[in-house]
Amino acid sequence: MRPYDHLAGDPVLARLIGEVGEPDPFAWFSPERFGPTNFSGMVLHIVSQQISTAVAFVFFDRIKAAAGGFPTPEAILAMGAERLRECGLSGAKAAYLLDLAHRQAGGLLDLEDLAGLDDREVVKTLTEVKGVGVWTAQSFLIAQLHRPDVLPAGDQGIRRAVERAWQLEGLPSVAEVQARGLPWAPYRTYAAALLWRFFYGE
């Protein structure tokens, strides 16, 4: 069964599909932006935390220029905190990137070999990195690993979309979104794409 045929079993999602179509959850993420490795992709995910996409791209492009190409662990470590901050990053994000690079370079983490792990194991592995929370790990699962069953229930856009689509009286909790999304498995990534499209209109 096609993902959106499955989701159409939920009458509210069926209505949303009729209104906004069937977005490809993986087409939003352009590979040329993330680069050729999962490491450079994770760098962009960390840079993008709590700032607009446009600003994140500016900062990431500065890091690329300073690194002489898409960032590698060695390049990030060589840049150090001061040079990373000169690219526009906060001190906290510079520390996050240095921890990520240290773990990857030292063999404590292998971002390039996560295919054999299930979604929960990937989230557990990634959230051991300083500054990487569940939302960032879930974004990585979707953008880098193209996992089909990820619902970022803590995302404000997802929560507000659920509030609006189901005409709730208030913003649902993360647990409420998770519970509502259980029947959408194994295609919750597609449901997330649908809800984002519905809320943001993109």
Side-chain angles (χ1 to χ4, degrees):
M1 179 181 291
R2 295 187 322 118
Y4 282 106
D5 290 341
H6 173 76
L7 296 178
D10 182 311
V12 175
L13 293 187
R15 174 172 58 81
L16 298 189
I17 293 168
E19 291 179 8
V20 304
E22 301 181 355
D24 181 343
F26 311 118
W28 295 357
F29 305 99
S30 84
E32 63 270 15
R33 266 295 173 189
F34 288 102
T37 66
N38 285 338
F39 178 83
S40 64
M42 180 53 83
V43 169
L44 180 53
H45 284 296
I46 290 174
V47 170
S48 300
Q49 291 174 348
Q50 299 181 321
I51 60 176
S52 72
T53 301
V55 173
F57 286 167
V58 170
F59 292 169
F60 186 68
D61 287 346
R62 290 175 184 169
I63 293 172
K64 279 176 60 180
F70 283 104
T72 63
E74 294 74 21
I76 294 294
L77 291 172
M79 289 172 70
E82 183 176 351
R83 185 70 187 92
L84 288 168
R85 294 194 66 179
E86 290 173 0
C87 294
L89 300 188
S90 65
K93 282 190 180 178
Y96 300 162
L97 291 189
L98 289 170
D99 185 59
L100 177 73
H102 170 73
R103 289 172 180 273
Q104 182 73 13
L108 300 175
L109 173 68
D110 187 358
L111 289 170
E112 311 311 319
D113 189 28
L114 296 176
L117 302 183
D118 66 25
D119 293 352
R120 291 192 181 201
E121 291 172 326
V122 171
V123 170
K124 181 180 183 298
T125 298
L126 294 180
T127 53
E128 291 175 356
V129 178
K130 185 176 181 180
V132 175
V134 172
W135 183 88
T136 301
Q138 289 174 326
S139 296
F140 181 92
L141 279 170
I142 296 171
Q144 303 298 131
L145 302 183
H146 290 188
R147 296 292 173 87
D149 194 32
V150 180
L151 179 63
D155 181 86
Q156 286 295 305
I158 296 288
R159 293 172 69 196
R160 292 193 181 279
V162 169
E163 177 187 19
R164 181 187 299 176
W166 276 266
Q167 300 179 338
L168 305 179
E169 294 183 357
L171 192 66
S173 68
V174 174
E176 288 170 340
V177 174
Q178 290 172 332
R180 191 177 294 275
L182 288 175
W184 307 339
Y187 299 118
R188 283 174 285 191
T189 300
Y190 292 81
L194 180 65
L195 291 166
W196 277 319
R197 171 78 64 84
F198 168 69
F199 184 72
Y200 293 111
E202 298 175 358

